[in-house]
Amino acid sequence: MDIISNPTQVEIKKAAQALKEGHLVAFPTETVYGLGADATNEKAVSRVYSVKGRPFEHPLIVHISSINQLSNWAIDIPEYALKLATEFWPGPVTLILKRSHLAKDFITGGQNYVAIRVPDNPIALALLENFENKHSSGIVAPSANRFGAVSPTSAIAVMAELGDHLSNSDLILDGGNCSVGIESTIIDATTEYPRIIRPGAVTSELIAKHTSLIVGFDYSKSQIRASGLLKSHYSPKAKLSLKYPVNPGDGFIAMENIPTPLGAIRLAAPKTTEQYAKELYAALRSGDERSLKHVIAIEPIGAGVAEAIRDRLGKASSK
Ligand code: TXA
Ligand code: MG
């Protein structure tokens, strides 16, 4: 497959055409790279599952170019969900809503609910707009990694994850490193009150500040199946621990102010929690590239995106 760096409008148009023809196009979003397919094409979607090695009952997020497309995919949308979409789209928020007739079992894992988001990345948005021009449709895009592995935040990482599984007519659009670096906040909007079922850069505090909505947490009791909710996920090949001791030769990830233990190999030294989120997956990947056996990550403290980082580290370290 071809990797297209900094694609032009013409190249993005061609990529939209490739999607329409049933091929897969990996593309950047602000969170992580997604492996895109026409959300209405069962054959293309089934290739997404096989390329990822993902079990069929794990549903996919439909990406759309704007809130105007929402009613194509979802029905009975609660007022609070519209408020969230208006405030945070384009952005790293996914809403789970009751599905329309367009959202078939092969993207929802047979559930009556569909996950939807508008990504905040110029290449993703241009791809979606071009694709919708042809279709009035959407693009399903799970993170472009093998099932259970670390999400890619660069085109090279997509290549490393899926290069052996993609075919010649598939494409990778290279838009550089993702700005957020961890997957979107998923909000269950199928009940009377919204609940976060996967934490991300958009936190309950941020939501309260911007919308005055109170959003609950429910990572465990949700009726909804989400593979990111499995206890173990986002895992590098190295064994990841979140506690000292750190031995010589171990990989080490921590905020900049935490010194590198003697003999350890520093994989990231972010100055802020936002930077931690942005660098985390690349750091885990670089540990694997160096064939490190053991990586220690010291969790960031506090609220905000730090909570989502702790969620991912918890899962990545649980094998
Ligand atoms: O930031 C993101 O959300 C990235 C970018 C590419 O948009 N996508 C992403 O997709 O993380 P994925 O498939 O790797 O993770 C989406 C999670 C999965 O755990 C999936 O099970 C859950 O969302 N999900 C998707 N559709 C759902 C649905 N209808 N009901 C419940 N969970 C759903
Ligand atoms: Mg994923």
Side-chain angles (χ1 to χ4, degrees):
M1 95 293 329
D2 288 334
I3 300 190
I4 302 169
S5 292
N6 302 314
T8 61
Q9 283 300 328
V10 173
E11 286 168 325
I12 291 175
K13 211 168 170 181
K14 281 192 188 148
Q17 182 62 28
L19 283 168
K20 196 189 167 201
E21 288 164 10
H23 305 300
L24 306 187
V25 176
F27 61 94
T29 80
E30 79 282 33
T31 58
V32 299
Y33 275 69
L35 177 62
D38 177 349
T40 62
N41 181 335
E42 184 166 11
K43 243 173 134 179
V45 172
S46 79
R47 278 200 61 228
V48 168
Y49 281 92
S50 62
V51 165
K52 271 186 70 77
R54 178 171 176 154
F56 276 105
E57 66 274 16
H58 290 287
L60 302 174
I61 298 174
V62 178
H63 295 65
I64 54 177
S65 68
S66 86
I67 194 171
N68 300 333
Q69 311 291 325
L70 184 57
S71 58
N72 290 334
W73 290 96
I75 56 170
D76 301 343
I77 302 166
E79 202 53 45
Y80 71 77
L82 286 176
K83 219 169 168 181
L84 289 169
T86 307
E87 184 62 37
F88 292 105
W89 284 352
V93 169
T94 296
L95 296 174
I96 309 243
L97 293 159
K98 211 186 229 180
R99 67 171 166 177
S100 75
H101 67 280
L102 207 55
K104 300 282 194 271
D105 284 351
F106 60 81
I107 62 167
T108 71
Q111 302 179 97
N112 276 326
Y113 304 107
V114 62
I116 307 175
R117 92 176 186 101
V118 179
D120 187 13
N121 174 285
I123 294 173
L125 288 172
L127 182 68
L128 283 161
E129 279 157 18
N130 272 284
F131 183 72
E132 286 164 0
N133 277 340
K134 297 178 193 298
H135 247 174
S136 117
S137 186
I139 300 175
V140 281
S143 52
N145 52 277
R146 295 283 289 170
F147 184 65
V150 177
S151 298
T153 52
S154 68
I156 301 278
V158 175
M159 190 65 190
E161 281 287 328
L162 303 180
D164 290 345
H165 302 272
L166 291 169
S167 70
N168 281 342
S169 349
D170 299 327
L171 292 173
I172 300 176
L173 300 182
D174 180 356
N177 294 334
C178 299
S179 57
V180 174
I182 56 171
E183 305 80 356
S184 60
T185 305
I186 301 183
I187 301 176
D188 178 358
T190 64
T191 53
E192 201 175 341
Y193 302 102
R195 290 170 310 157
I196 294 179
I197 62 170
R198 180 176 73 181
V202 172
T203 59
S204 56
E205 293 89 347
L206 205 61
I207 292 172
K209 192 171 142 200
H210 286 270
T211 65
S212 73
L213 286 169
I214 304 299
V215 184
F217 298 87
D218 202 344
Y219 307 159
S220 58
K221 286 206 204 88
S222 176
Q223 298 302 308
I224 286 178
R225 285 192 309 265
S227 56
L229 310 180
L230 296 174
K231 199 160 163 266
S232 165
H233 211 72
Y234 314 111
S235 300
K237 294 190 185 78
K239 184 168 170 21
L240 179 70
S241 354
L242 308 182
K243 286 201 281 275
Y244 294 91
V246 179
N247 294 310
D250 288 349
F252 188 67
I253 299 171
M255 296 292 287
E256 190 194 34
N257 62 340
I258 301 176
T260 310
L262 200 66
I265 299 158
R266 190 80 181 214
L267 300 175
K271 287 193 175 63
T272 61
T273 49
E274 285 73 22
Q275 203 182 337
Y276 200 133
K278 188 172 170 178
E279 293 178 6
L280 174 61
Y281 290 158
L284 292 174
R285 226 166 254 293
S286 78
D288 284 346
E289 277 156 19
R290 299 173 199 209
S291 306
L292 301 185
K293 295 241 154 33
H294 202 179
V295 172
I296 288 86
I298 305 303
E299 297 169 293
I301 52 172
V305 76
E307 196 188 323
I309 297 170
R310 292 193 296 269
D311 169 77
R312 303 306 192 273
L313 284 174
K315 285 173 178 143
S317 63
S318 137
K319 280 215 170 140

